[in-house]
Amino acid sequence: MNPLFKPKLIAGNSNKPLAAAIARRISIHRGEPVELVDIRVERFNDQEIFVEVYENVRGEDMFIIQSTSNPANDNLMELMIMCDALRRSSAARITAVMPYFGYARQDRRSKARTPISAKLVANLLTVAGIERVLTMDLHAAQIQGFFDVPVDNLYAAPVFALDIAHHFPDLDAVTVVSPDVGGVARARELAERIDADLAIVDKRRAAPGEIASMTVIGDVRDRVCVIVDDICDTAGTLVKAADLLVEHGAREVHAYITHGVLSGPAIERVSASQLKSLVVTDSIDPTPTTRAAANIRVVPIAPLFGQAILNISNGTSVSSLFNSKTLGPIYEAFYPSSSES
């Protein structure tokens, strides 16, 4: 892509505040205003989606900002129809910026006669005309291989590391905890970033959705425990893990979750739990109830995605954003001491 071209941003209805924040961050980086492309996304009476782009996009480097969160099917169809409209309007390149990639939990056949929906979604996006995908913390890294186009999978861990260093002065007392065996690699990565100990909550299921027993592997007594995971849906497992850590002598329990799905009774459970804080990103637009919860805090990802979009448009490295030191200056407004440490 010609580096003289500037990226053009367009947003669906899934997370307009994040799209606007990304546009503001890119404006700061470029030193000139970057506005979201004017677009109309409407529903017919039978709920069919209609899209009309009001600006000329011929030959432009287009970035569609759209998480496929609840309602997942509507947001996914919006994304594909927007892509089709841009492709038929002769956009030079179309990148799907999907901070939260829905259907990622269906990444394999866990039993007979079940779908691999993540692969199906990858096929749909590619056929619609998506030429690149920018996302964050895919539920399973192998989903990148489901696409026949480039996929840039950003990580929340560097941002979480900055946030933990800012809010926990005594890092020597912190233990990072994986809520299950499958998330050990993610927890180990964060633990290495902040030079902390690692513990694991091992859960055994009697049946799908029913936990028979949970055990803590590692010493958490008198420790500040930080549970890390990619998705928090109903928060049932998270709250039970927090209770178990407290039973084993943990001084405090906090949680850092990339995608705060927080459906059903999740907010009520977290508010009434022993979690001192739950930190989520705004990859999914937080509801007013989420923002009002006393022990839930939202970390912005607009600086991370804004820089990633610029790097993709300019043809420079995206992997440089995997480093907390690189993100320090980008997040200087949020963590003033981060670039100095």
Side-chain angles (χ1 to χ4, degrees):
M1 187 57 57
N2 189 334
L4 295 178
F5 286 0
K6 64 180 181 180
K8 275 206 167 185
L9 311 182
I10 191 167
N13 290 316
S14 71
N15 199 338
K16 286 187 172 180
L18 175 60
I22 290 174
R24 286 195 299 272
R25 294 298 305 188
I26 292 178
S27 299
I28 294 172
H29 292 322
R30 291 184 61 91
E32 59 180 341
V34 174
E35 303 290 342
L36 295 172
V37 169
D38 194 11
I39 184 176
R40 176 162 64 110
V41 181
E42 293 183 351
R43 301 289 194 278
F44 292 122
N45 288 336
D46 63 355
Q47 297 305 302
E48 286 185 9
I49 298 169
F50 172 76
V51 169
E52 183 178 5
V53 181
Y54 288 128
E55 298 180 23
N56 179 27
V57 297
R58 182 179 298 273
E60 297 288 357
D61 190 13
M62 300 301 303
F63 292 81
I64 307 175
I65 303 172
Q66 178 84 332
S67 284
T68 49
S69 49
N70 185 35
N73 298 331
D74 285 359
N75 288 330
L76 179 59
M77 281 302 299
E78 271 190 21
L79 173 58
M80 292 191 294
I81 294 172
M82 289 168 65
C83 178
D84 187 72
L86 294 174
R87 181 169 58 88
R88 295 177 188 275
S89 301
S90 301
R93 181 177 64 176
I94 305 171
T95 299
V97 181
M98 306 173 68
Y100 173 66
F101 183 88
Y103 286 103
R105 284 175 282 184
Q106 301 178 46
D107 64 312
R108 66 191 185 282
R109 296 191 70 191
S110 56
K111 57 182 70 174
R113 296 175 296 281
T114 58
I116 305 179
S117 303
K119 171 59 177 170
L120 173 61
V121 170
N123 290 344
L124 291 171
L125 293 174
T126 304
V127 171
I130 295 296
E131 298 171 69
R132 191 180 196 100
V133 174
L134 175 63
T135 186
M136 183 171 69
D137 274 355
L138 285 169
H139 185 63
Q142 66 265 23
I143 293 175
Q144 296 175 77
F146 293 174
F147 288 87
D148 293 325
V149 298
V151 177
D152 292 302
N153 183 32
L154 300 176
Y155 299 101
V159 182
F160 286 165
L162 292 174
D163 191 88
I164 291 171
H166 184 76
H167 286 91
F168 298 87
D170 185 13
L171 288 178
D172 291 337
V174 173
T175 293
V176 176
V177 180
S178 172
D180 52 47
V181 175
V184 171
R186 183 180 297 106
R188 183 186 294 116
E189 181 188 1
L190 180 60
E192 289 175 353
R193 287 180 183 275
I194 62 175
D195 195 21
D197 293 334
L198 178 67
I200 304 167
V201 174
D202 180 32
K203 61 185 178 186
R204 299 172 185 243
R205 295 189 182 275
E210 181 182 338
I211 299 175
S213 65
M214 299 178 74
T215 307
V216 176
I217 302 174
D219 184 14
V220 297
R221 184 168 298 279
D222 296 325
R223 306 290 294 173
V224 176
C225 291
V226 174
I227 303 172
V228 59
D229 208 353
D230 63 326
I231 296 174
C232 178
D233 193 346
T234 60
T237 300
L238 180 64
V239 167
K240 288 181 179 179
D243 291 342
L244 186 65
L245 292 169
V246 170
E247 289 175 12
H248 280 70
R251 188 198 316 168
E252 295 176 1
V253 181
H254 304 260
Y256 279 74
I257 308 294
T258 305
H259 307 297
V261 176
L262 300 176
S263 60
I267 303 297
E268 183 180 348
R269 284 175 173 170
V270 170
S271 298
S273 73
Q274 301 197 65
L275 283 169
K276 190 165 183 181
S277 71
L278 167 61
V279 179
V280 297
T281 75
D282 52 357
S283 64
I284 298 173
D285 190 15
T287 64
T289 307
T290 300
R291 292 191 180 276
N295 60 342
I296 299 180
R297 185 162 53 85
V298 179
V299 168
I301 56 171
L304 175 62
F305 273 87
Q307 189 63 55
I309 289 171
L310 282 174
N311 288 7
I312 290 171
S313 185
N314 295 333
T316 55
S317 172
V318 174
S319 61
S320 62
L321 300 176
F322 300 168
N323 193 322
S324 299
K325 292 182 178 179
T326 303
L327 291 186
I330 299 172
Y331 274 84
E332 179 68 23
F334 302 96
Y335 311 114
S337 62
S338 62
S339 61
E340 301 172 4
S341 58

